[in-house]
mmCIF file of all heavy atoms in Angstrom:
data_model
loop_
_atom_site.group_PDB
_atom_site.id
_atom_site.type_symbol
_atom_site.label_atom_id
_atom_site.label_comp_id
_atom_site.label_asym_id
_atom_site.label_seq_id
_atom_site.Cartn_x
_atom_site.Cartn_y
_atom_site.Cartn_z
ATOM 1 N N GLY M 1 41.687 33.610 -23.823
ATOM 2 C CA GLY M 1 40.831 33.520 -25.007
ATOM 3 C C GLY M 1 41.635 33.224 -26.265
ATOM 4 O O GLY M 1 41.236 32.418 -27.097
ATOM 5 N N GLY M 2 42.786 33.871 -26.373
ATOM 6 C CA GLY M 2 43.660 33.612 -27.520
ATOM 7 C C GLY M 2 44.155 32.176 -27.537
ATOM 8 O O GLY M 2 44.204 31.541 -28.594
ATOM 9 N N LEU M 3 44.502 31.653 -26.367
ATOM 10 C CA LEU M 3 44.947 30.254 -26.294
ATOM 11 C C LEU M 3 43.832 29.295 -26.686
ATOM 12 O O LEU M 3 44.087 28.287 -27.363
ATOM 13 C CB LEU M 3 45.448 29.929 -24.886
ATOM 14 C CG LEU M 3 46.821 30.473 -24.521
ATOM 15 C CD1 LEU M 3 47.120 30.188 -23.053
ATOM 16 C CD2 LEU M 3 47.884 29.870 -25.409
ATOM 17 N N VAL M 4 42.620 29.592 -26.273
ATOM 18 C CA VAL M 4 41.486 28.735 -26.647
ATOM 19 C C VAL M 4 41.290 28.754 -28.156
ATOM 20 O O VAL M 4 41.102 27.697 -28.777
ATOM 21 C CB VAL M 4 40.205 29.180 -25.903
ATOM 22 C CG1 VAL M 4 38.979 28.507 -26.481
ATOM 23 C CG2 VAL M 4 40.318 28.884 -24.416
ATOM 24 N N VAL M 5 41.356 29.935 -28.756
ATOM 25 C CA VAL M 5 41.173 30.040 -30.209
ATOM 26 C C VAL M 5 42.277 29.281 -30.936
ATOM 27 O O VAL M 5 42.012 28.526 -31.883
ATOM 28 C CB VAL M 5 41.137 31.522 -30.645
ATOM 29 C CG1 VAL M 5 41.223 31.658 -32.153
ATOM 30 C CG2 VAL M 5 39.869 32.187 -30.125
ATOM 31 N N VAL M 6 43.521 29.447 -30.504
ATOM 32 C CA VAL M 6 44.639 28.741 -31.141
ATOM 33 C C VAL M 6 44.472 27.232 -30.971
ATOM 34 O O VAL M 6 44.705 26.462 -31.909
ATOM 35 C CB VAL M 6 45.988 29.224 -30.561
ATOM 36 C CG1 VAL M 6 47.125 28.318 -30.976
ATOM 37 C CG2 VAL M 6 46.256 30.654 -30.991
ATOM 38 N N GLY M 7 44.052 26.799 -29.797
ATOM 39 C CA GLY M 7 43.836 25.369 -29.566
ATOM 40 C C GLY M 7 42.771 24.799 -30.481
ATOM 41 O O GLY M 7 42.941 23.722 -31.056
ATOM 42 N N LEU M 8 41.670 25.525 -30.631
ATOM 43 C CA LEU M 8 40.603 25.062 -31.529
ATOM 44 C C LEU M 8 41.080 25.002 -32.973
ATOM 45 O O LEU M 8 40.736 24.070 -33.714
ATOM 46 C CB LEU M 8 39.374 25.968 -31.409
ATOM 47 C CG LEU M 8 38.608 25.866 -30.094
ATOM 48 C CD1 LEU M 8 37.530 26.941 -30.026
ATOM 49 C CD2 LEU M 8 37.997 24.484 -29.931
ATOM 50 N N MET M 9 41.875 25.990 -33.376
ATOM 51 C CA MET M 9 42.402 25.983 -34.744
ATOM 52 C C MET M 9 43.332 24.789 -34.955
ATOM 53 O O MET M 9 43.295 24.147 -36.008
ATOM 54 C CB MET M 9 43.126 27.291 -35.049
ATOM 55 C CG MET M 9 42.191 28.472 -35.198
ATOM 56 S SD MET M 9 43.037 30.040 -35.414
ATOM 57 C CE MET M 9 43.891 29.762 -36.946
ATOM 58 N N LEU M 10 44.166 24.484 -33.956
ATOM 59 C CA LEU M 10 45.063 23.335 -34.078
ATOM 60 C C LEU M 10 44.285 22.028 -34.181
ATOM 61 O O LEU M 10 44.660 21.128 -34.940
ATOM 62 C CB LEU M 10 46.023 23.276 -32.897
ATOM 63 C CG LEU M 10 47.153 24.302 -32.906
ATOM 64 C CD1 LEU M 10 47.939 24.232 -31.613
ATOM 65 C CD2 LEU M 10 48.059 24.098 -34.100
ATOM 66 N N VAL M 11 43.184 21.915 -33.447
ATOM 67 C CA VAL M 11 42.355 20.716 -33.533
ATOM 68 C C VAL M 11 41.768 20.586 -34.927
ATOM 69 O O VAL M 11 41.786 19.501 -35.528
ATOM 70 C CB VAL M 11 41.244 20.744 -32.455
ATOM 71 C CG1 VAL M 11 40.196 19.683 -32.731
ATOM 72 C CG2 VAL M 11 41.845 20.559 -31.074
ATOM 73 N N LYS M 12 41.256 21.695 -35.473
ATOM 74 C CA LYS M 12 40.670 21.647 -36.820
ATOM 75 C C LYS M 12 41.718 21.306 -37.871
ATOM 76 O O LYS M 12 41.467 20.509 -38.780
ATOM 77 C CB LYS M 12 40.009 22.994 -37.156
ATOM 78 C CG LYS M 12 38.721 23.211 -36.443
ATOM 79 C CD LYS M 12 37.700 22.196 -36.900
ATOM 80 C CE LYS M 12 36.371 22.405 -36.246
ATOM 81 N NZ LYS M 12 35.419 21.353 -36.562
ATOM 82 N N VAL M 13 42.904 21.896 -37.756
ATOM 83 C CA VAL M 13 43.982 21.587 -38.710
ATOM 84 C C VAL M 13 44.372 20.124 -38.585
ATOM 85 O O VAL M 13 44.585 19.435 -39.584
ATOM 86 C CB VAL M 13 45.191 22.521 -38.486
ATOM 87 C CG1 VAL M 13 46.409 22.042 -39.248
ATOM 88 C CG2 VAL M 13 44.840 23.945 -38.886
ATOM 89 N N GLY M 14 44.460 19.634 -37.351
ATOM 90 C CA GLY M 14 44.791 18.232 -37.142
ATOM 91 C C GLY M 14 43.763 17.300 -37.750
ATOM 92 O O GLY M 14 44.106 16.278 -38.354
ATOM 93 N N GLN M 15 42.493 17.643 -37.621
ATOM 94 C CA GLN M 15 41.435 16.827 -38.229
ATOM 95 C C GLN M 15 41.562 16.834 -39.754
ATOM 96 O O GLN M 15 41.392 15.801 -40.409
ATOM 97 C CB GLN M 15 40.063 17.349 -37.813
ATOM 98 C CG GLN M 15 39.727 17.082 -36.382
ATOM 99 C CD GLN M 15 38.436 17.768 -35.949
ATOM 100 O OE1 GLN M 15 37.931 18.660 -36.637
ATOM 101 N NE2 GLN M 15 37.917 17.367 -34.801
ATOM 102 N N TRP M 16 41.854 18.012 -40.317
ATOM 103 C CA TRP M 16 41.977 18.098 -41.775
ATOM 104 C C TRP M 16 43.170 17.272 -42.249
ATOM 105 O O TRP M 16 43.076 16.540 -43.234
ATOM 106 C CB TRP M 16 42.142 19.547 -42.213
ATOM 107 C CG TRP M 16 42.159 19.687 -43.697
ATOM 108 C CD1 TRP M 16 41.086 19.824 -44.505
ATOM 109 C CD2 TRP M 16 43.312 19.671 -44.550
ATOM 110 N NE1 TRP M 16 41.498 19.901 -45.808
ATOM 111 C CE2 TRP M 16 42.849 19.806 -45.870
ATOM 112 C CE3 TRP M 16 44.675 19.552 -44.312
ATOM 113 C CZ2 TRP M 16 43.715 19.831 -46.950
ATOM 114 C CZ3 TRP M 16 45.536 19.579 -45.392
ATOM 115 C CH2 TRP M 16 45.051 19.716 -46.699
ATOM 116 N N VAL M 17 44.304 17.390 -41.546
ATOM 117 C CA VAL M 17 45.507 16.645 -41.939
ATOM 118 C C VAL M 17 45.255 15.145 -41.816
ATOM 119 O O VAL M 17 45.692 14.363 -42.660
ATOM 120 C CB VAL M 17 46.716 17.082 -41.092
ATOM 121 C CG1 VAL M 17 47.881 16.132 -41.264
ATOM 122 C CG2 VAL M 17 47.126 18.496 -41.466
ATOM 123 N N TRP M 18 44.544 14.724 -40.776
ATOM 124 C CA TRP M 18 44.255 13.305 -40.575
ATOM 125 C C TRP M 18 43.431 12.750 -41.733
ATOM 126 O O TRP M 18 43.647 11.632 -42.186
ATOM 127 C CB TRP M 18 43.528 13.108 -39.248
ATOM 128 C CG TRP M 18 43.319 11.681 -38.895
ATOM 129 C CD1 TRP M 18 42.162 10.976 -38.977
ATOM 130 C CD2 TRP M 18 44.302 10.755 -38.434
ATOM 131 N NE1 TRP M 18 42.357 9.684 -38.586
ATOM 132 C CE2 TRP M 18 43.664 9.517 -38.241
ATOM 133 C CE3 TRP M 18 45.656 10.856 -38.153
ATOM 134 C CZ2 TRP M 18 44.332 8.391 -37.788
ATOM 135 C CZ3 TRP M 18 46.322 9.741 -37.699
ATOM 136 C CH2 TRP M 18 45.661 8.525 -37.527
ATOM 137 N N SER M 19 42.497 13.545 -42.235
ATOM 138 C CA SER M 19 41.656 13.054 -43.331
ATOM 139 C C SER M 19 42.304 13.260 -44.699
ATOM 140 O O SER M 19 41.856 12.689 -45.684
ATOM 141 C CB SER M 19 40.280 13.716 -43.287
ATOM 142 O OG SER M 19 40.387 15.103 -43.444
ATOM 143 N N HIS M 20 43.342 14.100 -44.784
ATOM 144 C CA HIS M 20 44.046 14.337 -46.050
ATOM 145 C C HIS M 20 45.536 14.034 -45.874
ATOM 146 O O HIS M 20 46.397 14.844 -46.214
ATOM 147 C CB HIS M 20 43.854 15.789 -46.495
ATOM 148 C CG HIS M 20 42.440 16.159 -46.769
ATOM 149 N ND1 HIS M 20 41.607 16.625 -45.789
ATOM 150 C CD2 HIS M 20 41.699 16.118 -47.898
ATOM 151 C CE1 HIS M 20 40.423 16.869 -46.296
ATOM 152 N NE2 HIS M 20 40.441 16.559 -47.584
ATOM 153 N N TRP M 21 45.852 12.846 -45.374
ATOM 154 C CA TRP M 21 47.229 12.464 -45.066
ATOM 155 C C TRP M 21 48.122 12.483 -46.298
ATOM 156 O O TRP M 21 49.323 12.732 -46.208
ATOM 157 C CB TRP M 21 47.271 11.089 -44.427
ATOM 158 C CG TRP M 21 46.636 10.039 -45.281
ATOM 159 C CD1 TRP M 21 45.345 9.649 -45.251
ATOM 160 C CD2 TRP M 21 47.259 9.295 -46.327
ATOM 161 N NE1 TRP M 21 45.108 8.694 -46.188
ATOM 162 C CE2 TRP M 21 46.273 8.454 -46.886
ATOM 163 C CE3 TRP M 21 48.546 9.244 -46.853
ATOM 164 C CZ2 TRP M 21 46.537 7.589 -47.935
ATOM 165 C CZ3 TRP M 21 48.808 8.380 -47.906
ATOM 166 C CH2 TRP M 21 47.809 7.562 -48.423
ATOM 167 N N TRP M 22 47.535 12.253 -47.462
ATOM 168 C CA TRP M 22 48.329 12.180 -48.682
ATOM 169 C C TRP M 22 48.984 13.530 -49.005
ATOM 170 O O TRP M 22 50.026 13.575 -49.661
ATOM 171 C CB TRP M 22 47.465 11.719 -49.853
ATOM 172 C CG TRP M 22 46.262 12.589 -50.071
ATOM 173 C CD1 TRP M 22 45.027 12.441 -49.512
ATOM 174 C CD2 TRP M 22 46.202 13.766 -50.874
ATOM 175 N NE1 TRP M 22 44.210 13.462 -49.915
ATOM 176 C CE2 TRP M 22 44.895 14.276 -50.760
ATOM 177 C CE3 TRP M 22 47.120 14.430 -51.678
ATOM 178 C CZ2 TRP M 22 44.490 15.436 -51.414
ATOM 179 C CZ3 TRP M 22 46.715 15.582 -52.343
ATOM 180 C CH2 TRP M 22 45.404 16.073 -52.204
ATOM 181 N N VAL M 23 48.406 14.622 -48.521
ATOM 182 C CA VAL M 23 49.014 15.937 -48.751
ATOM 183 C C VAL M 23 50.374 16.002 -48.050
ATOM 184 O O VAL M 23 51.344 16.521 -48.608
ATOM 185 C CB VAL M 23 48.079 17.058 -48.251
ATOM 186 C CG1 VAL M 23 48.758 18.422 -48.323
ATOM 187 C CG2 VAL M 23 46.777 17.067 -49.037
ATOM 188 N N LEU M 24 50.457 15.432 -46.850
ATOM 189 C CA LEU M 24 51.739 15.404 -46.146
ATOM 190 C C LEU M 24 52.766 14.556 -46.881
ATOM 191 O O LEU M 24 53.950 14.897 -46.917
ATOM 192 C CB LEU M 24 51.553 14.872 -44.724
ATOM 193 C CG LEU M 24 50.822 15.786 -43.758
ATOM 194 C CD1 LEU M 24 50.687 15.122 -42.404
ATOM 195 C CD2 LEU M 24 51.524 17.110 -43.634
ATOM 196 N N VAL M 25 52.317 13.466 -47.476
ATOM 197 C CA VAL M 25 53.232 12.613 -48.239
ATOM 198 C C VAL M 25 53.786 13.383 -49.434
ATOM 199 O O VAL M 25 54.999 13.373 -49.698
ATOM 200 C CB VAL M 25 52.523 11.315 -48.686
ATOM 201 C CG1 VAL M 25 53.400 10.525 -49.636
ATOM 202 C CG2 VAL M 25 52.136 10.478 -47.478
ATOM 203 N N VAL M 26 52.922 14.081 -50.161
ATOM 204 C CA VAL M 26 53.357 14.861 -51.323
ATOM 205 C C VAL M 26 54.309 15.969 -50.893
ATOM 206 O O VAL M 26 55.364 16.185 -51.516
ATOM 207 C CB VAL M 26 52.138 15.436 -52.079
ATOM 208 C CG1 VAL M 26 52.562 16.438 -53.134
ATOM 209 C CG2 VAL M 26 51.329 14.317 -52.702
ATOM 210 N N LEU M 27 53.979 16.673 -49.813
ATOM 211 C CA LEU M 27 54.864 17.734 -49.324
ATOM 212 C C LEU M 27 56.209 17.167 -48.879
ATOM 213 O O LEU M 27 57.260 17.787 -49.101
ATOM 214 C CB LEU M 27 54.201 18.488 -48.172
ATOM 215 C CG LEU M 27 53.035 19.393 -48.554
ATOM 216 C CD1 LEU M 27 52.393 19.983 -47.305
ATOM 217 C CD2 LEU M 27 53.469 20.485 -49.511
ATOM 218 N N GLY M 28 56.200 16.002 -48.254
ATOM 219 C CA GLY M 28 57.446 15.359 -47.861
ATOM 220 C C GLY M 28 58.311 15.003 -49.052
ATOM 221 O O GLY M 28 59.536 15.203 -49.030
ATOM 222 N N LEU M 29 57.686 14.475 -50.104
ATOM 223 C CA LEU M 29 58.448 14.138 -51.315
ATOM 224 C C LEU M 29 59.025 15.391 -51.975
ATOM 225 O O LEU M 29 60.175 15.389 -52.437
ATOM 226 C CB LEU M 29 57.552 13.376 -52.298
ATOM 227 C CG LEU M 29 57.193 11.951 -51.877
ATOM 228 C CD1 LEU M 29 56.181 11.359 -52.855
ATOM 229 C CD2 LEU M 29 58.428 11.082 -51.795
ATOM 230 N N LEU M 30 58.240 16.452 -52.006
ATOM 231 C CA LEU M 30 58.745 17.709 -52.577
ATOM 232 C C LEU M 30 59.906 18.255 -51.749
ATOM 233 O O LEU M 30 60.886 18.760 -52.309
ATOM 234 C CB LEU M 30 57.626 18.741 -52.664
ATOM 235 C CG LEU M 30 56.554 18.477 -53.717
ATOM 236 C CD1 LEU M 30 55.421 19.493 -53.589
ATOM 237 C CD2 LEU M 30 57.155 18.522 -55.115
ATOM 238 N N ALA M 31 59.818 18.137 -50.433
ATOM 239 C CA ALA M 31 60.908 18.590 -49.573
ATOM 240 C C ALA M 31 62.170 17.760 -49.816
ATOM 241 O O ALA M 31 63.283 18.304 -49.849
ATOM 242 C CB ALA M 31 60.483 18.513 -48.106
ATOM 243 N N LEU M 32 62.010 16.452 -50.000
ATOM 244 C CA LEU M 32 63.164 15.602 -50.293
ATOM 245 C C LEU M 32 63.800 15.966 -51.626
ATOM 246 O O LEU M 32 65.035 15.985 -51.755
ATOM 247 C CB LEU M 32 62.752 14.128 -50.286
ATOM 248 C CG LEU M 32 62.579 13.490 -48.916
ATOM 249 C CD1 LEU M 32 62.047 12.067 -49.063
ATOM 250 C CD2 LEU M 32 63.890 13.485 -48.157
ATOM 251 N N LEU M 33 62.982 16.242 -52.627
ATOM 252 C CA LEU M 33 63.519 16.663 -53.924
ATOM 253 C C LEU M 33 64.271 17.980 -53.808
ATOM 254 O O LEU M 33 65.349 18.150 -54.403
ATOM 255 C CB LEU M 33 62.393 16.786 -54.956
ATOM 256 C CG LEU M 33 61.846 15.482 -55.511
ATOM 257 C CD1 LEU M 33 60.615 15.754 -56.375
ATOM 258 C CD2 LEU M 33 62.911 14.769 -56.323
ATOM 259 N N ALA M 34 63.726 18.917 -53.060
ATOM 260 C CA ALA M 34 64.395 20.205 -52.871
ATOM 261 C C ALA M 34 65.719 20.016 -52.128
ATOM 262 O O ALA M 34 66.735 20.620 -52.486
ATOM 263 C CB ALA M 34 63.480 21.157 -52.100
#
């Protein structure tokens, strides 16, 4: 049950990241600056 819940959460996070790809770009730039 825990694995199913974690899997569903990963799918939802993946969907959010796919639709908000620019957040990853900004985080990447901030990481490079740091």
